[in-house]
Amino acid sequence: MVGDSEIDQIIREWTAERSGDPELREADRIRSAWLSEAPPTPPTPPRIPAQRRSPGGPLAVAEPADPAYVAAMRRRLPEAPPELLAAAASWWQLVGDVTEAEGWWDAGVSPLDQRALDWRAAGLKPADLGRRLGPLTVLEHLRRGSAPAWCVARLQRQRRDGAA
């Protein structure tokens, strides 16, 4: 195993070689000058990964919080800061309407737990979270790291076996 002093020596040699290269120094000078002249970029709105069927591209803009979502959250958490409610509400808008978002919350999923978006995309519904898969509920399986697709497949198998 290489010791720390040997690694430090290699890094120093590599840095010395690179800093002595006139082309690299010139490129660094041009880059620094170009970046200092560039106008500041306006802040971009927060973006989230879009689902595959979304035509908008790989990222979707997280819209500002709908007042209906903020009001629903305010009823449940009256002492929470408005900024936190607005941030959580902007994410929960992606889950569906206010009734569905409240269903997830009633099922035991925090409005700040963004995994619910993945669970919903996999095909889970709030009512599925309380169903049992062996000794644990679906929500317990998910919180322990089980894949949402695995839970969906097990639920489908339960439904199929129960109907047969």
Side-chain angles (χ1 to χ4, degrees):
M1 180 170 191
V2 179
D4 287 340
S5 62
E6 293 174 8
I7 293 172
D8 290 340
Q9 178 61 29
I10 292 170
I11 291 172
R12 278 193 296 276
E13 289 174 11
W14 181 79
T15 305
E17 289 173 6
R18 296 200 36 102
S19 64
D21 186 357
E23 287 181 22
L24 289 176
R25 282 197 311 262
E26 179 65 13
D28 190 43
R29 186 192 63 74
I30 292 170
R31 181 186 55 80
S32 297
W34 181 78
L35 288 175
S36 67
E37 293 171 4
T41 59
T44 59
R47 295 180 167 281
I48 60 165
Q51 294 181 3
R52 291 183 188 127
R53 60 182 174 266
S54 173
L59 295 177
V61 175
E63 299 295 328
D66 183 342
Y69 284 85
V70 176
M73 295 181 102
R74 171 69 58 210
R75 286 190 300 272
R76 291 172 178 254
L77 295 170
E79 71 283 351
E83 303 83 31
L84 180 62
L85 290 178
S90 67
W91 282 103
W92 273 88
Q93 288 174 191
L94 302 171
V95 170
D97 61 7
V98 174
T99 306
E100 186 177 354
E102 287 178 331
W104 283 95
W105 199 340
D106 292 340
V109 178
S110 165
L112 298 177
D113 190 347
Q114 301 311 310
R115 296 176 296 179
L117 298 174
D118 295 331
W119 299 344
R120 182 177 186 262
L124 291 170
K125 296 174 183 58
D128 294 334
L129 298 181
R131 299 208 36 209
R132 290 214 163 268
L133 295 176
L136 302 175
T137 65
V138 172
L139 183 58
E140 290 170 333
H141 276 287
L142 292 168
R143 287 188 174 154
R144 289 181 178 207
S146 295
W150 178 84
C151 293
V152 169
R154 289 283 309 264
L155 286 170
Q156 289 173 345
R157 193 168 96 208
Q158 267 186 1
R159 289 182 188 117
R160 185 185 67 237
D161 292 347

